[in-house]
């Protein structure tokens, strides 16, 4: 019993250390990825980054193969969300070796899935998903209402502003961008109404629309409180059963 | 019994398919409406759109007539919210046939009511309206408070900024636009105070006003939680009665 | 009994009609006040407005004198909030008769108190004040925290941006304006950090500060729910007692 | 007993007066600090400020020494949060006496810790910290989610906008600034997408991201309500025990 406990402890310690190493490598590769986008980067640094990148991809590849071999349901893992993320985190590297780098650079976007790997190791994400299940219906409803609101706002502002600012409010599609930046209250200032009608319309759109855009955050917030409350209830029940 | 169930099933299936077709047509007509506002649209595409538009309006017209004939209370349907929306979704097409298109183009705005038809088929909108009934009183109160706040902010900033920026803060009406974009935190940047007094005034306005504008979203959010809670209670009651 | 009820009814009807007239006059005077600020206003309209203004002030004066005479505690009324508002709503008119209009124009700001009179007749404002009593302590605390946050943000950004943009971030006072527009997420775009340090600082300021600025709205919202809940409880208690 | 009570009362009165003097001095020094950053300040005022500053630092120094001597656990106080703040509030003054003022000016930032001293004397801050303990876990989770969201948004917009606006969206680091100003809905207008892809991407980023950034405020707000509720429960319990 004592021996087994020790072994288990050693195993857990190794697993934890390995996870920390993987997380550090993920962050290193993300930071490197960001630095590589700097236009005036020294070619020497770029070369060093290439070597580090190769090492990281090799470690990730070994990890991926190990995961596939060790998992009980191999295909299940491969086609699971994190299985695909793990594959996409290393695939662009192998794909970009043979063919022209420029054209497949867009695939490097998938390299970002590496960032999502951070999520995997986080235990606390469960509560998150629980809260989303609670308010899923409301969120879909509000997504629909938001879409409708955005469309109606865009059409309205197009009719009011198109004549006065034909180069800004070109079409309903361009007005949709105004609707998005206004209803989310971002307000870059690249597009704004100048006519009296357009401004009065904007006022009503904002009064109606702010609620539609702002309510989901309140819903998620209350759902998270509810999820925590349910969690506490379950824990109490489990303690009473013992 | 079995035969009747089959018949009912076939009827329900047809009704559902018909609804999906109508919804698709609504979305097609909306997308077409948006594309038509693009300034450099190919005349060929415009011609094709005209034909598709005619077909859609015909389908909607048949649907409208069928609805009027089949409904038990005919005038009740015609003057109901959705009866009017259904009519307004097709009326502009017939009106724009005989007379000049340019002058009645503004009526095409009503064509947007077609978008509202999407709402009709959505069962979940009930909870929405329920929550609004719960917080109706508070929303009216906050609408009044918001209006008062906007007015007072506009007058205040007018006194502070009119002298320094006579071309931006022309009158209280122009200042109202500033008040709207500021209190909703949109902040386009087309109007902003530059005097010390105006900035200190803006600070106090924002501190007092943000709450007034932001609270209704919280109220709607809590009302929706309450509406769902009441729904769950009712469902439990109904299950216990069975 | 029947005669008395009739008399009371007639009295209530007159009181209600009088209130509506007063409210309409308040709104008329407010709209006139706004229109008067338009720079290119026709002198004829301005003359008409002067006459209407005189009539409104006379009605308000009669109302004020009647209120003073009819109230049981005369001085109590005169020095009550609404007594002062009623006085300030008419005082600027009499003051501006004898002396130069330009110099006392600033006093016309007080004419806005007329807008506050609208509040008087609104029964529902009680719940408002009740909710504010519930969260008064928290609101004061958050006001302090907001002030501290604004100050620290202003000093920080001053150190980061003063050298790079000496004409924008002139002093800590100018930086305070940046802090106000940023933490309330208005973001006019008249002042924004350009240095790497200033941007990273802004990020941390926003992450910490958004909560401080946004939480009070949530508190007021929950306090309003609580106030309504208490109201409902009281009503139920009163109904059970009957 | 009576004599003792009087003594205690006199002591408490002195302690309270002393605290008020210290708070006034803190505010005076903060205001002076702000005024000193004004570029065109009169040298005479600057000289007066120097003298007042010296007096304030002396009072704070005496207070600090008194606190160290009078506290039961001296080192405990010195290395406590407020002990360090008290020291940092006076240290820059002594450090800047001997050496060049310009180079150590950056250390004056620490002088801001004086502002934090205001927090010390505020009793009500307890509820604050209580609420933060309740939602600590959720806040960390959302901080992680916000970080991930910001990174993914920055990379996405970089790919969409870098080619169209190479001088604005220079690298992922520059795009991160866009992500920060957009997801917090500040929207200065110094950086915004112009391509169709970038705008559609921004729309999805905002729809997903607003919740992530806005939810923590709701969580803190509900945690504060909970903290107050627990406080009320405790007070009731204590009253029943008496």
């Amino acid at each position: 019993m004592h021996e087994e406990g020790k072994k288990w402890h050693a195993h857990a310690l190794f697993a934890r250390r390995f996870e920390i190493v993987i997380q550090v490598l993920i962050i290193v590769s993300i930071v490197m990825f960001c630095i590589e986008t700097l236009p005036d980067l020294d070619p020497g640094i770029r070369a060093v980054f290439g070597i580090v990148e190769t090492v990281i991809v090799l470690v990730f590849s070994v990890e991926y193969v190990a995961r596939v071999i060790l998992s009980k349901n191999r295909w299940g893992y491969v086609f699971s969300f994190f299985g695909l993320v793990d594959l996409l985190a290393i695939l662009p590297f192998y794909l970009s070796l043979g063919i022209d780098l420029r054209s497949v650079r867009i695939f490097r976007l998938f390299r970002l899935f590496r960032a999502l790997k951070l999520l995997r190791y986080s235990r606390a994400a469960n509560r998150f998903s629980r809260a989303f299940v609670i308010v899923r219906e409301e969120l879909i409803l509000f997504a629909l209402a938001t879409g409708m609101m955005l469309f109606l706002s865009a059409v309205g502002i197009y009719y009011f502003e198109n004549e006065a600012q034909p180069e800004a409010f070109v079409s309903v599609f361009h007005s949709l961008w105004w609707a998005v930046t206004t209803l989310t209250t971002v307000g870059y200032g690249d597009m704004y109404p100048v006519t009296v009608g357009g401004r009065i319309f904007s006022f009503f759109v904002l009064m109606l629309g702010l609620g539609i855009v702002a309510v989901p955050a309140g819903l998620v917030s209350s759902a998270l409180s509810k999820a925590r409350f349910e969690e506490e209830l379950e824990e109490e029940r489990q303690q009473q059963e013992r």
Side-chain angles (χ1 to χ4, degrees), chain A residues 127 130-131 134-135 219-234:
Chain A
R127 206 184 285 165
R130 202 170 182 166
I134 294 176
V135 285
L219 291 173
V220 171
S221 158
S222 70
L224 267 166
S225 303
K226 209 181 166 183
R228 198 175 43 174
F229 182 67
E230 283 175 9
E231 219 175 74
E232 282 168 14
L233 275 185
E234 267 176 51

PDB file of all heavy atoms in Angstrom, chain A residues 127 130-131 134-135 219-234:
ATOM      1  N   ARG A 127     -17.266  25.046 -14.567  1.00  0.00           N
ATOM      2  CA  ARG A 127     -18.327  25.929 -14.118  1.00  0.00           C
ATOM      3  C   ARG A 127     -18.790  26.846 -15.245  1.00  0.00           C
ATOM      4  O   ARG A 127     -19.976  27.123 -15.404  1.00  0.00           O
ATOM      5  CB  ARG A 127     -17.827  26.759 -12.942  1.00  0.00           C
ATOM      6  CG  ARG A 127     -18.931  27.227 -12.035  1.00  0.00           C
ATOM      7  CD  ARG A 127     -18.389  28.108 -10.948  1.00  0.00           C
ATOM      8  NE  ARG A 127     -17.703  27.342  -9.930  1.00  0.00           N
ATOM      9  CZ  ARG A 127     -16.896  27.889  -9.020  1.00  0.00           C
ATOM     10  NH1 ARG A 127     -16.687  29.179  -9.009  1.00  0.00           N
ATOM     11  NH2 ARG A 127     -16.312  27.136  -8.126  1.00  0.00           N
ATOM     12  N   ARG A 130     -21.008  24.972 -17.562  1.00  0.00           N
ATOM     13  CA  ARG A 130     -22.267  24.737 -16.853  1.00  0.00           C
ATOM     14  C   ARG A 130     -23.182  25.965 -16.954  1.00  0.00           C
ATOM     15  O   ARG A 130     -24.373  25.851 -17.250  1.00  0.00           O
ATOM     16  CB  ARG A 130     -21.950  24.456 -15.383  1.00  0.00           C
ATOM     17  CG  ARG A 130     -23.031  23.710 -14.672  1.00  0.00           C
ATOM     18  CD  ARG A 130     -22.507  23.274 -13.325  1.00  0.00           C
ATOM     19  NE  ARG A 130     -23.484  22.504 -12.596  1.00  0.00           N
ATOM     20  CZ  ARG A 130     -23.182  21.786 -11.533  1.00  0.00           C
ATOM     21  NH1 ARG A 130     -21.944  21.723 -11.116  1.00  0.00           N
ATOM     22  NH2 ARG A 130     -24.123  21.111 -10.908  1.00  0.00           N
ATOM     23  N   ALA A 131     -22.589  27.126 -16.699  1.00  0.00           N
ATOM     24  CA  ALA A 131     -23.362  28.371 -16.755  1.00  0.00           C
ATOM     25  C   ALA A 131     -23.887  28.614 -18.173  1.00  0.00           C
ATOM     26  O   ALA A 131     -25.010  29.076 -18.364  1.00  0.00           O
ATOM     27  CB  ALA A 131     -22.503  29.547 -16.304  1.00  0.00           C
ATOM     28  N   ILE A 134     -26.985  26.694 -18.810  1.00  0.00           N
ATOM     29  CA  ILE A 134     -28.162  27.282 -18.162  1.00  0.00           C
ATOM     30  C   ILE A 134     -28.781  28.399 -19.016  1.00  0.00           C
ATOM     31  O   ILE A 134     -29.990  28.459 -19.196  1.00  0.00           O
ATOM     32  CB  ILE A 134     -27.780  27.840 -16.754  1.00  0.00           C
ATOM     33  CG1 ILE A 134     -27.373  26.694 -15.821  1.00  0.00           C
ATOM     34  CG2 ILE A 134     -28.942  28.617 -16.145  1.00  0.00           C
ATOM     35  CD1 ILE A 134     -26.899  27.156 -14.454  1.00  0.00           C
ATOM     36  N   VAL A 135     -27.943  29.264 -19.553  1.00  0.00           N
ATOM     37  CA  VAL A 135     -28.485  30.419 -20.284  1.00  0.00           C
ATOM     38  C   VAL A 135     -28.420  30.272 -21.808  1.00  0.00           C
ATOM     39  O   VAL A 135     -28.643  31.237 -22.520  1.00  0.00           O
ATOM     40  CB  VAL A 135     -27.762  31.730 -19.888  1.00  0.00           C
ATOM     41  CG1 VAL A 135     -28.213  32.185 -18.527  1.00  0.00           C
ATOM     42  CG2 VAL A 135     -26.279  31.595 -19.980  1.00  0.00           C
ATOM     43  N   LEU A 219     -27.046  38.085 -17.861  1.00  0.00           N
ATOM     44  CA  LEU A 219     -27.569  36.719 -17.805  1.00  0.00           C
ATOM     45  C   LEU A 219     -26.462  35.721 -17.490  1.00  0.00           C
ATOM     46  O   LEU A 219     -26.636  34.835 -16.643  1.00  0.00           O
ATOM     47  CB  LEU A 219     -28.231  36.352 -19.135  1.00  0.00           C
ATOM     48  CG  LEU A 219     -29.531  37.092 -19.446  1.00  0.00           C
ATOM     49  CD1 LEU A 219     -29.987  36.786 -20.847  1.00  0.00           C
ATOM     50  CD2 LEU A 219     -30.602  36.715 -18.441  1.00  0.00           C
ATOM     51  N   VAL A 220     -25.323  35.865 -18.170  1.00  0.00           N
ATOM     52  CA  VAL A 220     -24.192  34.953 -17.917  1.00  0.00           C
ATOM     53  C   VAL A 220     -23.730  35.103 -16.480  1.00  0.00           C
ATOM     54  O   VAL A 220     -23.460  34.120 -15.788  1.00  0.00           O
ATOM     55  CB  VAL A 220     -23.032  35.233 -18.907  1.00  0.00           C
ATOM     56  CG1 VAL A 220     -21.780  34.461 -18.509  1.00  0.00           C
ATOM     57  CG2 VAL A 220     -23.443  34.879 -20.316  1.00  0.00           C
ATOM     58  N   SER A 221     -23.670  36.351 -16.021  1.00  0.00           N
ATOM     59  CA  SER A 221     -23.242  36.618 -14.652  1.00  0.00           C
ATOM     60  C   SER A 221     -24.144  35.939 -13.635  1.00  0.00           C
ATOM     61  O   SER A 221     -23.666  35.291 -12.690  1.00  0.00           O
ATOM     62  CB  SER A 221     -23.217  38.139 -14.427  1.00  0.00           C
ATOM     63  OG  SER A 221     -23.303  38.452 -13.085  1.00  0.00           O
ATOM     64  N   SER A 222     -25.482  36.039 -13.819  1.00  0.00           N
ATOM     65  CA  SER A 222     -26.400  35.413 -12.866  1.00  0.00           C
ATOM     66  C   SER A 222     -26.359  33.890 -13.006  1.00  0.00           C
ATOM     67  O   SER A 222     -26.518  33.163 -12.024  1.00  0.00           O
ATOM     68  CB  SER A 222     -27.824  35.938 -13.060  1.00  0.00           C
ATOM     69  OG  SER A 222     -28.369  35.481 -14.262  1.00  0.00           O
ATOM     70  N   ALA A 223     -26.131  33.398 -14.243  1.00  0.00           N
ATOM     71  CA  ALA A 223     -26.028  31.950 -14.455  1.00  0.00           C
ATOM     72  C   ALA A 223     -24.803  31.400 -13.744  1.00  0.00           C
ATOM     73  O   ALA A 223     -24.839  30.298 -13.174  1.00  0.00           O
ATOM     74  CB  ALA A 223     -25.958  31.639 -15.944  1.00  0.00           C
ATOM     75  N   LEU A 224     -23.706  32.174 -13.743  1.00  0.00           N
ATOM     76  CA  LEU A 224     -22.489  31.726 -13.049  1.00  0.00           C
ATOM     77  C   LEU A 224     -22.738  31.654 -11.544  1.00  0.00           C
ATOM     78  O   LEU A 224     -22.286  30.712 -10.879  1.00  0.00           O
ATOM     79  CB  LEU A 224     -21.326  32.667 -13.349  1.00  0.00           C
ATOM     80  CG  LEU A 224     -20.461  32.260 -14.529  1.00  0.00           C
ATOM     81  CD1 LEU A 224     -19.575  33.401 -14.958  1.00  0.00           C
ATOM     82  CD2 LEU A 224     -19.609  31.055 -14.154  1.00  0.00           C
ATOM     83  N   SER A 225     -23.474  32.645 -11.023  1.00  0.00           N
ATOM     84  CA  SER A 225     -23.824  32.613  -9.599  1.00  0.00           C
ATOM     85  C   SER A 225     -24.650  31.356  -9.307  1.00  0.00           C
ATOM     86  O   SER A 225     -24.425  30.671  -8.306  1.00  0.00           O
ATOM     87  CB  SER A 225     -24.635  33.856  -9.217  1.00  0.00           C
ATOM     88  OG  SER A 225     -23.931  35.020  -9.533  1.00  0.00           O
ATOM     89  N   LYS A 226     -25.620  31.063 -10.205  1.00  0.00           N
ATOM     90  CA  LYS A 226     -26.478  29.901 -10.025  1.00  0.00           C
ATOM     91  C   LYS A 226     -25.657  28.606 -10.090  1.00  0.00           C
ATOM     92  O   LYS A 226     -25.856  27.700  -9.285  1.00  0.00           O
ATOM     93  CB  LYS A 226     -27.550  29.887 -11.122  1.00  0.00           C
ATOM     94  CG  LYS A 226     -28.839  29.219 -10.674  1.00  0.00           C
ATOM     95  CD  LYS A 226     -29.867  29.192 -11.782  1.00  0.00           C
ATOM     96  CE  LYS A 226     -31.002  28.248 -11.452  1.00  0.00           C
ATOM     97  NZ  LYS A 226     -31.972  28.168 -12.549  1.00  0.00           N
ATOM     98  N   ALA A 227     -24.724  28.540 -11.044  1.00  0.00           N
ATOM     99  CA  ALA A 227     -23.881  27.355 -11.201  1.00  0.00           C
ATOM    100  C   ALA A 227     -23.059  27.121  -9.940  1.00  0.00           C
ATOM    101  O   ALA A 227     -22.903  25.989  -9.476  1.00  0.00           O
ATOM    102  CB  ALA A 227     -22.965  27.513 -12.414  1.00  0.00           C
ATOM    103  N   ARG A 228     -22.556  28.211  -9.341  1.00  0.00           N
ATOM    104  CA  ARG A 228     -21.769  28.083  -8.124  1.00  0.00           C
ATOM    105  C   ARG A 228     -22.636  27.622  -6.960  1.00  0.00           C
ATOM    106  O   ARG A 228     -22.250  26.777  -6.159  1.00  0.00           O
ATOM    107  CB  ARG A 228     -21.102  29.409  -7.786  1.00  0.00           C
ATOM    108  CG  ARG A 228     -19.960  29.210  -6.816  1.00  0.00           C
ATOM    109  CD  ARG A 228     -19.234  30.493  -6.587  1.00  0.00           C
ATOM    110  NE  ARG A 228     -20.211  31.562  -6.441  1.00  0.00           N
ATOM    111  CZ  ARG A 228     -19.896  32.807  -6.116  1.00  0.00           C
ATOM    112  NH1 ARG A 228     -18.646  33.132  -5.976  1.00  0.00           N
ATOM    113  NH2 ARG A 228     -20.807  33.722  -5.993  1.00  0.00           N
ATOM    114  N   PHE A 229     -23.853  28.172  -6.903  1.00  0.00           N
ATOM    115  CA  PHE A 229     -24.804  27.794  -5.860  1.00  0.00           C
ATOM    116  C   PHE A 229     -25.120  26.301  -5.943  1.00  0.00           C
ATOM    117  O   PHE A 229     -25.110  25.594  -4.926  1.00  0.00           O
ATOM    118  CB  PHE A 229     -26.078  28.633  -6.021  1.00  0.00           C
ATOM    119  CG  PHE A 229     -27.117  28.388  -4.980  1.00  0.00           C
ATOM    120  CD1 PHE A 229     -26.893  28.745  -3.659  1.00  0.00           C
ATOM    121  CD2 PHE A 229     -28.333  27.794  -5.310  1.00  0.00           C
ATOM    122  CE1 PHE A 229     -27.857  28.521  -2.686  1.00  0.00           C
ATOM    123  CE2 PHE A 229     -29.291  27.559  -4.343  1.00  0.00           C
ATOM    124  CZ  PHE A 229     -29.058  27.923  -3.023  1.00  0.00           C
ATOM    125  N   GLU A 230     -25.401  25.802  -7.165  1.00  0.00           N
ATOM    126  CA  GLU A 230     -25.687  24.378  -7.367  1.00  0.00           C
ATOM    127  C   GLU A 230     -24.500  23.516  -6.964  1.00  0.00           C
ATOM    128  O   GLU A 230     -24.648  22.461  -6.359  1.00  0.00           O
ATOM    129  CB  GLU A 230     -26.049  24.120  -8.837  1.00  0.00           C
ATOM    130  CG  GLU A 230     -27.471  24.551  -9.175  1.00  0.00           C
ATOM    131  CD  GLU A 230     -27.766  24.410 -10.663  1.00  0.00           C
ATOM    132  OE1 GLU A 230     -26.932  23.831 -11.385  1.00  0.00           O
ATOM    133  OE2 GLU A 230     -28.821  24.893 -11.097  1.00  0.00           O
ATOM    134  N   GLU A 231     -23.278  24.010  -7.301  1.00  0.00           N
ATOM    135  CA  GLU A 231     -22.051  23.306  -6.947  1.00  0.00           C
ATOM    136  C   GLU A 231     -21.935  23.153  -5.436  1.00  0.00           C
ATOM    137  O   GLU A 231     -21.651  22.070  -4.923  1.00  0.00           O
ATOM    138  CB  GLU A 231     -20.862  24.122  -7.480  1.00  0.00           C
ATOM    139  CG  GLU A 231     -19.744  23.281  -8.055  1.00  0.00           C
ATOM    140  CD  GLU A 231     -18.693  24.186  -8.648  1.00  0.00           C
ATOM    141  OE1 GLU A 231     -17.944  24.817  -7.881  1.00  0.00           O
ATOM    142  OE2 GLU A 231     -18.637  24.293  -9.883  1.00  0.00           O
ATOM    143  N   GLU A 232     -22.198  24.277  -4.718  1.00  0.00           N
ATOM    144  CA  GLU A 232     -22.124  24.260  -3.254  1.00  0.00           C
ATOM    145  C   GLU A 232     -23.149  23.296  -2.665  1.00  0.00           C
ATOM    146  O   GLU A 232     -22.852  22.561  -1.714  1.00  0.00           O
ATOM    147  CB  GLU A 232     -22.359  25.683  -2.709  1.00  0.00           C
ATOM    148  CG  GLU A 232     -21.123  26.563  -2.833  1.00  0.00           C
ATOM    149  CD  GLU A 232     -21.437  28.026  -2.573  1.00  0.00           C
ATOM    150  OE1 GLU A 232     -22.525  28.309  -2.046  1.00  0.00           O
ATOM    151  OE2 GLU A 232     -20.602  28.877  -2.895  1.00  0.00           O
ATOM    152  N   LEU A 233     -24.366  23.288  -3.246  1.00  0.00           N
ATOM    153  CA  LEU A 233     -25.406  22.371  -2.788  1.00  0.00           C
ATOM    154  C   LEU A 233     -24.955  20.923  -2.934  1.00  0.00           C
ATOM    155  O   LEU A 233     -25.109  20.109  -2.017  1.00  0.00           O
ATOM    156  CB  LEU A 233     -26.698  22.585  -3.587  1.00  0.00           C
ATOM    157  CG  LEU A 233     -27.640  23.673  -3.099  1.00  0.00           C
ATOM    158  CD1 LEU A 233     -28.900  23.666  -3.925  1.00  0.00           C
ATOM    159  CD2 LEU A 233     -27.996  23.488  -1.622  1.00  0.00           C
ATOM    160  N   GLU A 234     -24.379  20.590  -4.094  1.00  0.00           N
ATOM    161  CA  GLU A 234     -23.904  19.225  -4.359  1.00  0.00           C
ATOM    162  C   GLU A 234     -22.816  18.813  -3.384  1.00  0.00           C
ATOM    163  O   GLU A 234     -22.818  17.700  -2.862  1.00  0.00           O
ATOM    164  CB  GLU A 234     -23.364  19.131  -5.794  1.00  0.00           C
ATOM    165  CG  GLU A 234     -24.429  18.672  -6.777  1.00  0.00           C
ATOM    166  CD  GLU A 234     -23.892  18.686  -8.184  1.00  0.00           C
ATOM    167  OE1 GLU A 234     -22.819  18.125  -8.424  1.00  0.00           O
ATOM    168  OE2 GLU A 234     -24.561  19.288  -9.057  1.00  0.00           O
TER     169      GLU A 234
END
